[in-house]
Amino acid sequence: MYAKMICNPPLGKATVVDHAQDVQFTVAIESSAEKSWNVALWTNCNDPSKWESVRLDPIERPASTLVLGNAGTTSKHQWFTTTLKGNPGRTSPVSFTITFRAGEGEAWKWVNDQFSTSDGQLLYQSLRLQAHALSDYIADLAPYLQIDEEKSETPETLLWSVTSPVNAASGRASGFSINKLGQPTDFLRWFSLVRLWSPWLAPRQGQTKFNPDKEAVLASFLRQDGSHLVVLAVSGVDDVLTTLHHDGEGGIVMNSRNDSESEGVARLVVAVAQTFEVANAAVMYYARKLVMKYALASGEASKEEEAKGDDEIKPEWLENWYDGLTYCTWNGIGQNLTEEKIFTALDSLKKNEINITNLIIDDNWQSLDTEGGDQFKNAWMEFEANKGGFPRGLQKTVADIRSKNENIKHIAVWHAILGYWGGISPHGKIAKEYKTVTVQKKGGVSGGKMLAVAEEDVPRFYRDFYSFLSSTGVDSVKTDAQFFLDELDDATDRRALIRTYQDAWSINILRYFSAKAISCMSQTPQILFHSQMPFNKPQIMVRNSDDFFPEVPASHPWHIFCNAHNSLFTQHLNVLPDWDMFQTSHPWASFHAAARCVSGGPIYITDVPGKHDVDLIHQMTAQTPRGNTVILRTHTVGKSIEAYSSYDEPALLKIGTYVGMAHTGTGILGVFNVSQRSISELLRLDQFPGTEEGSYVIRSHTTSQVSSQVINGDDPCALLNLPVQGWEILSAFPVHSFKLQRKQPADGPSSISVANLGLIGKMTGAAAIVNTDIHIDRTSGRLKVWTSLKALGTYGLYISELPKRSLENDFMALLFSKPIPLDCVKINAVCPNVLEIDVVKAWKETDSEAGWSNEVAIEIVIR
């Protein structure tokens, strides 16, 4: 007999609860046959050394709980619950597990043994932090450390700055120092973001002993009292790079490199708070102040302020750049790039009515001294495009693209931060026009010597190059291989070029492209802190992880997991995290598409011409009244809500994001199975961002199911089963309740609750809502639901007891104050409480036209 047991709070994890909170346990047993199951909870709540059990009571499925992922199966679900009362009165965790049996006469079985799981833990969190010295959280602090208590910008947070000396560089050799911080105390789990290799960050997690396999920029520790200790290594100040490592015994070590000829300073920021997000924000806010203070003191901040006043810089509306669908040539067309291949790809998109807004002409358009072979040996000759692929020149190609594709608003080209992978060719026009220097890169795949534009000519080089691109009609760039700045091996080159190239690039993307730029392979510490952290310039897009690799199956779940955790750091930078392009006809296409939609960042596709999943594209995008295609980008950066859950754990990856104003918006949870087995979990309302107050209904994107009862309380809101490669997007919509003040008799109930669902059929349809107003009209006593949408589609409104109301008699729908024909309105086929309006059809039938705002105003009146 098949059986599966799902518990909330979950087994195998640590759950933080309020010190005065009763803990409600819910267990669902899914089995192939209905049995008289018995379930018992075992805990050491009263005595750490003594385990006691209590039987769970069988219950009906909670009315507010959606059951998702079991379509087409005959599985039976039985539900059980009990409440663990009070506070155990100790700071150590309470462990728990479950036993079960198939009937009164059967033997009890331990769930840990049957399902290869481990005990769950409850961490009872006190109202305030109990300890206030750094030594209470990190033992054996090194005596040579300078530790200063700082004022935090986040509430109820302890904050310290920690510094230690770093040896000076000598000649071409950088100075290095390894300094011990100390041993984190009383923690259960840790999370860190490590340097996967020079250009990229990646997450690592562990338990009991801090031992990341690579150097980290951030480390966090979940403590036994439910608090979080976060340590951030700050770089990009005074030519010093600092990372975190371990001493083999679980202690934290600072590894620092100093490129200056003067003694340097390694800087850490340490915070303790009741949540990871608060502690993480505290260290990032303080790091930003450090970086900005240094920039002002050194005069670097004034360079960009000066650039902002440049007469050549024109203010520009960037909605199309951020929210338009983008096509990139890289995987779709291949590396042997020609203008004809670009035209073919664009024709294929047009034929399939895929109206992209932005085009990225990726690598291999430039004029190189050699073609093909090892890209790290190919060097850049001149600004103009290569004659083989673009015989008429870049300007003619760009002009043709724009004339034949009016929907394309922005065209970007690719280049490396030092020009190309192999640098500057000594035989080309660039080397003749600008002073160059031979630089030595560290050993490795990109190691060796190469030619680069020298420090004194870098500003002029970038100004001339971007002026040329602008003259061809190119209005944006993707600047790659930025980690090459950190690959420079000699201290003299590093201090001369690292900041010089960053500053020249930043100033000129602002001057020529209004900051329409994508920064790629740039997650090196100096760039993260120096260029991406300050908020004194416009936000740019930054690649958030390693590439989309279409031919590597194992890379796809890791790609999503990595991005979700990297965003815990990049959410605090002045960037829009870019989760990279993907292909809509790929076996993992919908997995990637769902992740991009909850990322809060841009969406790029790189389809092979003729291979498109148009339906999938429609789920990600919508058409505006003027015919533009827009993505429905959420308002906050999508990020993992469980930093300490590792990639190898049998747990669903949950990515949280939000749309709308605080307390009145929509919390969204993208859920992904990144493991190699089917996984089921019970999800709670408090896992959805921004749902601390009020009542909600939960809607599933893949099934269109909506919770049958308003969610409010401790009950799980969804039992979700995802197969390998499975995913789901759940949205928590706030519910507004009213009593109709009727002036005349009506058949339907007078009490009513509604929730604005935005555009249904879209993965993040709530993001289509620009504004909404729901109120009882004082004159008529009727309920009016007014919504402004940024695009056309199928509008959805949840209405309690909708089946008891008459579409013909109880509702009136208006589009820009014009009555919407009844044939454009219907009840949703899956959920009888959802009213649908086909806004595309209504737009045509009412002869509506786009106004100055390019929005769609819908009003529904209910009596």
Side-chain angles (χ1 to χ4, degrees), residues 149 277 424 479:
E149 189 171 345
E277 285 292 346
I424 305 300
T479 306

Side-chain angles (χ1 to χ4, degrees), residues 194-359:
V194 303
R195 301 193 66 187
L196 185 65
W197 66 294
S198 191
W200 301 121
L201 298 178
R204 294 291 188 266
Q205 287 91 357
Q207 303 179 36
T208 65
K209 186 177 180 180
F210 179 64
N211 58 351
D213 60 334
K214 299 178 185 297
E215 294 184 340
V217 296
L218 178 84
S220 180
F221 302 85
L222 173 59
R223 293 171 44 80
Q224 293 185 10
D225 63 0
S227 65
H228 301 256
L229 167 72
V230 175
V231 182
L232 175 69
V234 180
S235 296
V237 176
D238 296 332
D239 296 308
V240 175
L241 183 156
T242 299
T243 57
L244 306 171
H245 209 232
H246 64 91
D247 60 6
E249 301 298 326
I252 302 175
V253 171
M254 294 175 278
N255 290 350
S256 299
R257 175 175 187 164
N258 181 17
D259 300 318
S260 172
E261 294 176 308
S262 303
E263 184 180 82
V265 177
R267 291 176 170 84
L268 303 183
V269 188
V270 183
V272 177
Q274 298 286 47
T275 70
F276 166 78
E277 285 292 346
V278 170
N280 186 39
V283 297
M284 296 296 281
Y285 294 164
Y286 188 79
R288 186 179 303 138
K289 288 199 297 186
L290 282 178
V291 171
M292 290 301 300
K293 182 179 179 181
Y294 169 76
L296 289 169
S298 65
E300 290 178 359
S302 62
K303 296 177 186 176
E304 293 189 2
E305 293 301 325
E306 185 180 321
K308 289 178 189 175
D310 195 317
D311 291 339
E312 296 179 53
I313 295 177
K314 301 294 188 292
E316 186 172 338
W317 185 249
L318 296 179
E319 180 183 19
N320 290 325
W321 176 244
Y322 291 136
D323 293 346
L325 180 66
T326 300
Y327 181 80
C328 182
T329 63
W330 180 243
N331 296 113
I333 299 178
Q335 297 183 28
N336 185 18
L337 191 62
T338 68
E339 65 173 8
E340 287 305 319
K341 289 184 178 180
I342 296 174
F343 296 147
T344 299
L346 296 178
D347 288 343
S348 176
L349 293 170
K350 185 184 294 186
K351 180 181 177 182
N352 287 275
E353 298 183 348
I354 302 169
N355 297 317
I356 63 167
T357 303
N358 308 308
L359 171 67

